[in-house]
Amino acid sequence: MDRNRAAEIQKHLLEASDALDRVTEAMFRLDKDERKAFSEVLFEVHDALHFGLLRALYAEHPELRPPDEPPHISSTLRWKDVTLPDSISEADIDTAILAALTPRLQKTATVITKAFHHCHERAMAISYEMLGARIVALAKAGRIEGAGDLRMWRHSEVRLRP
């Protein structure tokens, strides 16, 4: 495919990604049963768009790939400032995070995304920021190991303690 056609397709895919983000925000306002019905399919679409379509487009046209962003703090939310819904416990959040971790270092952003999917498969309304704050708290408590400033999700890594 020529570059102009690829750029047009990329534009539409990025618009679709923005729309999916708005759908996800709206989904958080649904009750648990309604949210559960949509969440699995929504995350399949999200993954297909980002890890299928865009990845294939960038493999053919790497010059269209957005530049790497400079390191920045992804969230300043602290765990002590988080208020969980009554139906979700701290242990539920820890279970989701620990299930996403391995003995090998992984990008914090990857662990947050995996934990986010874990939560939404169980119809738990939790945000990326809440998960990020909990990861920082778990590392400070010595329950997991982190490398770098864990508030910089794409520029830090976490793993299970050896």
Side-chain angles (χ1 to χ4, degrees):
M1 132 181 41
D2 70 35
R3 186 187 188 292
N4 289 337
R5 181 71 53 173
E8 177 186 357
I9 291 170
Q10 177 197 32
K11 175 182 175 268
H12 295 306
L13 289 173
L14 294 176
E15 289 170 353
S17 176
D18 290 342
L20 287 175
D21 289 344
R22 291 189 300 275
V23 169
T24 300
E25 289 176 20
M27 196 174 66
F28 283 130
R29 295 188 292 271
L30 297 174
D31 69 35
K32 183 178 179 178
D33 291 333
E34 291 173 320
R35 190 170 51 250
K36 187 174 184 177
F38 291 104
S39 64
E40 185 174 321
V41 174
L42 179 63
F43 293 119
E44 286 177 15
V45 171
H46 178 273
D47 286 351
L49 190 147
H50 286 278
F51 301 111
L53 295 169
L54 281 169
R55 184 175 283 173
L57 184 84
Y58 296 146
E60 188 171 335
H61 289 280
E63 73 279 5
L64 293 176
R65 184 182 306 274
D68 289 337
E69 61 184 46
H72 70 279
I73 293 175
S74 303
S75 176
T76 58
L77 182 64
R78 296 174 301 177
W79 186 246
K80 70 177 189 168
D81 298 326
V82 170
T83 303
L84 292 173
D86 291 338
S87 61
I88 302 173
S89 71
E90 192 172 279
D92 294 330
I93 303 302
D94 292 354
T95 298
I97 292 169
L98 294 172
L101 289 168
T102 67
R104 176 183 56 80
L105 284 170
Q106 299 178 80
K107 290 288 185 191
T108 303
T110 299
V111 173
I112 289 171
T113 300
K114 288 178 181 178
F116 185 81
H117 286 285
H118 179 94
C119 289
H120 283 279
E121 286 171 356
R122 286 149 186 82
M124 294 171 25
I126 194 81
S127 71
Y128 291 107
E129 289 79 15
M130 289 176 176
L131 291 166
R134 186 64 188 154
I135 286 173
V136 171
L138 289 170
K140 284 183 179 177
R143 293 187 52 202
I144 64 174
E145 187 175 313
D149 184 339
L150 298 183
R151 299 171 305 157
M152 296 179 162
W153 300 348
R154 292 186 183 193
H155 303 278
S156 62
E157 298 176 315
V158 289
R159 68 178 178 183
L160 294 169
R161 291 198 59 80

